[in-house]
Amino acid sequence: MEDIIPSEEDIVQDMDAVDVIVSQWADERPDLDVSPMHVVGRIHRLAADLDQMLAPIFAAHGLGDGEFDVLATLRRAGDPYELSPGGLGASMMVTSGAVTKRIDRLERAGLVTRRVSEHDARARLIRLTAAGLRLVNTAIAEHVANESRLLAGLDNNERNTLVALLRKLGTSIERAGPPDMRS
């Protein structure tokens, strides 16, 4: 079987904005290996694109992504759909200040309540209201359908491969940690 070598025109048509940026840097700084930009640049751009593609579902329910995150975190915690603010923050990987602001907005909207813990009078627990449970059940179904729509260009094997690679990349990034800027 004969190898098919793509023409220069085919290669140029398949190039995206990240390819152009990497090519420009390779021309301007041939002393640097700019190949990591192929991965990091695409992930960065995809994250921004995904935010834009996911936000309309949340907005249709009067939510921002942060509020949806609180409701979804409480919902997936299981009945009685209740967590401490610290438990919410740990699950959502945000600061306690961000959790408090989100809870305040959701409480004003009647979607969550706060109550004093029966085991520790200093602790508060956040719980979905019946309205919050109905809203998150509807919103999560639409959210998952939207995510499926966005991934429709990948078959199951490609999705599984991507999941494994992203998991591995996440572990690599966590191990690497932030750059050491002490010089």
Side-chain angles (χ1 to χ4, degrees), residues 47-66:
D49 289 346
L50 283 171
D51 285 343
Q52 289 180 348
M53 299 291 180
L54 299 176
I57 299 295
F58 308 142
H61 295 283
L63 302 170
D65 63 340

Side-chain angles (χ1 to χ4, degrees), residues 7-16:
S7 69
E8 188 173 330
E9 182 179 298
D10 289 337
I11 293 170
V12 170
Q13 286 178 349
D14 288 340
M15 288 181 65
D16 64 7

Side-chain angles (χ1 to χ4, degrees), residues 34-46:
V34 295
S35 64
M37 290 181 181
H38 281 294
V39 174
V40 175
R42 280 185 179 82
I43 290 172
H44 186 74
R45 285 173 177 257
L46 286 170

Side-chain angles (χ1 to χ4, degrees), residues 129-140:
T129 63
L133 181 59
R134 282 190 303 275
L135 177 71
V136 73
N137 279 338
T138 300
I140 191 65

Side-chain angles (χ1 to χ4, degrees), residues 61 63 67-68 70-82 106-107 109-113 126-142:
H61 295 283
L63 302 170
E67 288 88 6
F68 175 80
V70 170
L71 297 177
T73 301
L74 289 168
R75 176 61 177 93
R76 71 176 189 262
D79 196 9
Y81 314 115
E82 180 177 78
L106 292 167
E107 188 176 36
L111 301 172
V112 300
T113 60
I126 312 306
R127 179 182 283 196
L128 284 176
T129 63
L133 181 59
R134 282 190 303 275
L135 177 71
V136 73
N137 279 338
T138 300
I140 191 65
E142 292 174 18

